[in-house]
Amino acid sequence: MTRELNAQVVTEAVYSAIRHSAVALRPDFRRAVEGARAQADPASRAAGVLDRILENALIAETDGVPLCQDTGSVWVCLEVGEQLAVPGNIFSGVNDAVARAYTDGRLRMSLVRDALFDRANTGNNTPAFCELKLVPGAGATLHVLLKGGGSDNASRVVMLPPGAGAAGVRQVVLDCVREKAANACPPLVIGLGVGATFDKVAGLAKHALLREVGSAAASAEAAAFEEELLAEVNALGIGPAALGGAPTALAVHLETAPCHIAALPVAVNMGCCAMRSASVRLM
């Protein structure tokens, strides 16, 4: 018998993920900050900033208050195994979950009704931005990311000519960090997408932010490229809170995909020092 994913299960998981993520720094990111602090000169300004990030995280989780005043927009990605049945209303309760979570958690409402024609606040931080992704198997995993405006505004999509190659991709990342990192609240996790199409490459970059800091890349080649980029980003000396020193970024995460022979799509999506996401196994 084919198992069916339940919309109510998704709804309640979204609510719980928001309430937790808003006040708790993602554990892998916290460990990365702690590692960077251990390596920093205790007398440096960077060390002081890293101390404040860790102190802020402790206060937020202990007192149940937001990690950051920008409590973000809500991105929901539901990965569903191809052996599961998915009802057409699977996301029907998500906006209700968002509204309840933001009201109950006293989180800032940051969504406007229309980007161009009606900038009035929706009053409940809806709508959420939802995505359904089919994957092999019979499981289901929900990813919820609270994304602040500062880090999303620091992102970009560039359509390079294919001849630009790895050097061109590297230049896009470094230019973006030079121009935008200070406004994205470093230290950062840099999500990098390369491939697919204009509308899909940004999704690759955002998905890359979900990967655990310190986890293995998809291949040895990808891992080497990530390490090279991270070293070059940190050599810029922008530093925590853009006050100089290191690290500017704690990780670069790369996701690639096939693309047209005439294209080399590149997207950079920055994750700020308040990394707020949760991944929940539903089935």
Side-chain angles (χ1 to χ4, degrees):
M1 176 181 287
T2 301
R3 294 191 302 165
E4 181 175 296
L5 190 61
N6 185 282
Q8 187 60 32
V9 170
V10 172
T11 298
E12 294 310 313
V14 168
Y15 176 88
S16 297
I18 293 170
R19 292 298 307 274
H20 175 75
S21 297
V23 303
L25 194 61
R26 212 171 75 185
D28 58 305
F29 188 84
R30 183 200 297 266
R31 290 192 296 270
V33 174
E34 290 170 342
R37 175 61 183 86
Q39 297 176 25
D41 176 356
S44 68
R45 183 177 294 169
V49 173
L50 295 173
D51 281 338
R52 297 293 81 74
I53 291 172
L54 293 170
E55 180 184 16
N56 180 74
L58 177 61
I59 293 170
E61 191 160 9
T62 301
D63 294 352
V65 295
L67 278 162
C68 175
Q69 55 84 24
D70 182 352
T71 52
S73 58
V74 180
W75 178 62
V76 175
C77 177
L78 180 60
E79 293 183 341
V80 179
E82 58 195 3
Q83 298 174 34
L84 290 178
V86 183
N89 69 343
I90 195 65
F91 291 130
S92 60
V94 167
N95 282 342
D96 175 67
V98 171
R100 286 190 290 116
Y102 273 72
T103 299
D104 295 349
R106 299 179 182 270
L107 308 179
R108 193 186 82 179
M109 312 299 183
S110 300
L111 269 287
V112 299
R113 293 174 183 167
D114 185 273
L116 185 59
F117 298 114
D118 186 355
R119 299 287 297 188
N121 198 297
T122 64
N124 58 11
N125 218 61
T126 66
F129 301 95
C130 299
E131 174 184 335
L132 181 65
K133 185 178 181 181
L134 297 179
V135 296
T141 302
L142 178 77
H143 305 285
V144 176
L145 174 66
L146 309 186
K147 199 67 165 66
S151 60
D152 248 15
N153 287 345
S155 305
R156 65 179 49 172
V157 173
V158 179
M159 301 299 287
L160 292 176
V169 173
R170 179 180 290 106
Q171 196 61 52
V172 168
V173 174
L174 294 176
D175 287 347
C176 187
V177 172
R178 284 192 194 94
E179 296 168 20
K180 301 288 188 176
N183 293 328
C185 301
L188 312 167
V189 173
I190 299 174
L192 175 61
V194 181
T197 57
F198 171 79
D199 59 312
K200 298 297 184 184
V201 70
L204 292 176
K206 183 158 278 189
H207 275 278
L209 295 179
L210 298 176
R211 199 177 105 207
E212 184 176 316
V213 176
S215 63
S219 66
E221 191 174 37
F225 192 59
E226 289 177 350
E227 290 176 11
E228 291 170 11
L229 275 174
L230 182 61
E232 292 184 64
V233 164
N234 285 330
L236 296 174
I238 295 169
L243 294 175
T248 301
L250 297 169
V252 175
H253 290 167
L254 170 66
E255 283 203 16
T256 64
C259 71
H260 192 281
I261 58 172
L264 182 57
V266 181
V268 178
N269 192 217
M270 296 190 188
C272 68
C273 66
M275 282 293 291
R276 295 161 295 177
S277 72
S279 297
V280 183
R281 183 80 171 175
L282 301 179
M283 297 183 73

